[in-house]
Structures are given as structure tokens and as C-alpha cells.
Amino acid sequence: MNRIDRLAAILIQMQSRRLVKAQDIADKFSISLRTVYRDVKALEEAGVPVIGEAGSGYKLMDGYKLPPVMFNQEEATALLTASKLVQSKTDAGMIKHFEAALDKIRAILRLSEKDHIEDIDEHIAVMNHPAIAYSPQSELYLQPILNAISSSDVIEINYTTLEKNEITKRQIEPVGIYYMGSHWYLIAWCRLRNDYRNFRTDKIGQLKTTGEKVSKTHPPLQSFINKMSEDREVIKVVIDVEADIVKFLGEQKYYNGYIKEERNGDYVRMTFLTGSLMGFSRWFMLFGDHAKIVEPNTLNIMVAGIAENILKKLEQSQMLLT
């Protein structure tokens, strides 16, 4: 990126946030802090009212606005691709707001970009993997939850528990939302349990704000996600699969913790980190007559147990038929 383009991009970055740190600018454009200071000075000399706060960052003077931003073809395509993901993975409320925002963006596109968007629209699609059950939800409460987080509001929900399928009323202090597998989850401080809890948003039957503000400062969402990854016990699995069978495992290997593979004679040695040996053993049964387990031996025992149970049921069925 040449300097003129970088200066324009820095100006856009400043307009998009209340405050921008010099280090954030340096990281985004892979430049030194010294170069950031020179670029900001160049903007000031060009008449841009940049306010520098010592130790904090830079911001634009209130009331200063740039002319409408122009998007290039690649940026417009990226926005269209994002809209496909929003339509596929969120709820009706979020889709409505995103489409309204996208319409405003379309309005300032050049004619060539508008034509490109219309031409490419039908060539982008988001498909759900057949191995993951997913049914679109009309209400996942994503926008109300994000509004509550932004305003530090306590919310009250009716929640259907996954374990007992019971409906409980909870007052919670929301921390953040994340998407995993085929569901959206909310991490929040639950006043009923007096601890942090994970809620699946499609299990929320009703949500309303209480008018109260949160009682404490909560850790950032990423710290909870990191802790979940640390707490999740994983087991190393190594198997040898006949070389001409590996291609048929497809994406399923990734859902079972695939790490790496290497050729081992007529076999391919595959390494996995799985959170469930029982789940892995049942998947292994699909191609087990063309593979062998290297480690752990516990997996051999599990697979043998499943095979014995299947054989018993087959023998019982055969006896009934005779």
C-alpha cells in the first residue's frame, strides 16, 4: 500500500472508532510507531482535525465527517459474502438489521460495483454440513442480548434446560455471545446459580430487560472461551487407515479432532485429539474393517465391545427369524 492510500485508510479507521491507539494503526498496516506519528502529522498538516490524547490514542474532532466512503469491487464482494453468512447463521431480527445496513452501503456504490454485486449474488451460497443438524430459528435474541451488553443491563430470561428440559426463570448479566457447531451461545453471570453459565440462545423462550445495571465488571468473552478450551479434556488417538480409504473420510475427520497424517507403508497413519473416545469409536466403526488402532488400547476395547453388542443383537434377530 502506498502512502496516499495508507493515509486515507488511517482516516477511515479514525472515523470508524471513538478512539484509535497508535499501536493499533501500526499493527493494521504493518508499520512502525514512528511511521504512524509521521502519518498522523501529515493528516494534521492537510487540515484534518486530529486530537491526540497522551497515552490513549487519536480521535477526530466532534462534528468532522468524511465524504461518503467508496468501496472497491473486492470490498463489495466481501460484504455480500458476509450477508450470506448472516442469513444462514443468525435470526430474523439480525438479518433484517444487516440487510438494512447493506442497502445503505449499496446506495453509495459506484454503478460498476452495483452491477458486480447483482451479477455475483447468485454465485455465493452457504450450505450446512449434513452431519450437523441445523434448523433456522426465527428468534435467537442476538440483538437484544448485544443491546443489553452495550448498555450494561441485567436481563431476565425463561430458559429451557438441556439436561432436564425444565423451564426456569433467570436474571442474568450477559458477557458475550459466540457461535459453535450449529448454535449460538450466551455466557452470562447467573444470579440464580451465583456463577457464570453458558446458555444456548435457541433455548431462551422469553427475554426482557429488568431496568437494573450489572453489579460487577465481568472478564472479557475471550477469557471464557480460552478457559473452555483448557478445561476440555482431549485424548490422543492414532490409527492406521488403508491408503485408498482415507479419501472417503472427508470432512468427518475434522469433526473428530483430526490433527495430521503421514504415509506408513500401505496405510496412512492419522492422529486425532478427541474429546470423546466413545464418540470416536462409533465413527471408527464406519470404516474399521479397513483400519487398525495404534493407540490408545482403551479405544480397541470400546470398539470390540460395540462389535460384540452388534453381533449379539444380530444373533438374537436370526434366532427369532428361525
Side-chain angles (χ1 to χ4, degrees), residues 106-125:
R106 287 176 188 262
I108 63 172
L109 293 177
R110 294 183 293 244
L111 289 178
S112 59
E113 272 69 50
K114 289 180 181 179
D115 290 341
H116 172 72
I117 287 292
E118 291 179 3
D119 291 340
I120 205 68
D121 190 12
E122 62 183 27
H123 297 282
I124 303 174

Side-chain angles (χ1 to χ4, degrees), residues 7-22 25 28 36 39-41 43-44 48-51 57-60 66:
L7 290 175
I10 291 173
L11 188 50
I12 292 171
Q13 186 180 11
M14 287 183 180
Q15 191 180 32
S16 66
R17 299 183 183 181
R18 188 181 66 82
L19 192 69
V20 180
K21 295 180 179 180
I25 297 174
K28 182 173 182 178
V36 172
D39 286 351
V40 171
K41 185 176 181 181
L43 289 173
E44 292 174 331
V48 178
V50 178
I51 300 175
Y58 301 105
K59 67 178 182 179
L60 296 178
L66 285 173

Side-chain angles (χ1 to χ4, degrees), residues 149 174-178 187-188 196 216-228:
I149 293 171
V175 174
I177 59 175
Y178 65 94
I187 291 179
Y196 290 102
K216 56 192 294 187
T217 300
H218 301 290
L221 174 64
Q222 190 60 47
S223 67
F224 290 97
I225 294 175
N226 292 342
K227 188 174 187 303
M228 283 191 297

Side-chain angles (χ1 to χ4, degrees), residues 255-274:
Y255 297 119
N256 287 278
Y258 170 80
I259 298 297
K260 65 178 181 178
E261 64 183 51
E262 57 186 353
R263 192 64 183 249
N264 184 30
D266 294 334
Y267 290 85
V268 173
R269 177 155 293 184
M270 306 181 71
T271 303
F272 298 80
L273 288 178
T274 179

Side-chain angles (χ1 to χ4, degrees), residues 14 43 53 64 69 88 115 124 128 130 172 177 219 230 234 237 268 306 315 317:
M14 287 183 180
L43 289 173
E53 297 189 0
Y64 180 80
V69 176
S88 172
D115 290 341
I124 303 174
N128 292 306
I172 60 176
I177 59 175
E230 293 170 0
V234 292
V237 172
V268 173
I306 294 172
E315 290 174 346
S317 298

Side-chain angles (χ1 to χ4, degrees), residues 48-166:
V48 178
V50 178
I51 300 175
E53 297 189 0
S56 297
Y58 301 105
K59 67 178 182 179
L60 296 178
M61 182 181 295
D62 288 343
Y64 180 80
K65 297 294 181 183
L66 285 173
V69 176
M70 300 305 294
F71 292 85
N72 61 35
Q73 184 169 296
E74 289 75 16
E75 292 167 339
T77 302
L79 287 168
L80 178 62
T81 304
S83 74
K84 299 290 184 179
L85 289 169
V86 170
Q87 292 167 8
S88 172
K89 303 300 182 183
T90 61
D91 58 15
M94 188 67 76
I95 293 170
K96 177 182 177 182
H97 292 307
F98 190 90
E99 288 181 344
L102 192 58
D103 284 342
K104 293 178 182 178
I105 292 172
R106 287 176 188 262
I108 63 172
L109 293 177
R110 294 183 293 244
L111 289 178
S112 59
E113 272 69 50
K114 289 180 181 179
D115 290 341
H116 172 72
I117 287 292
E118 291 179 3
D119 291 340
I120 205 68
D121 190 12
E122 62 183 27
H123 297 282
I124 303 174
V126 175
M127 301 290 290
N128 292 306
H129 195 278
I132 300 179
Y134 179 80
S135 57
Q137 299 288 325
S138 60
E139 181 59 84
L140 294 173
Y141 299 99
L142 302 180
Q143 195 64 55
I145 291 171
L146 292 173
N147 290 341
I149 293 171
S150 177
S151 55
S152 300
D153 287 332
V154 176
I155 56 178
E156 184 176 276
I157 62 173
N158 287 343
Y159 187 72
T160 303
T161 59
L162 294 172
E163 297 82 6
K164 299 181 179 179
N165 200 34
E166 296 176 346

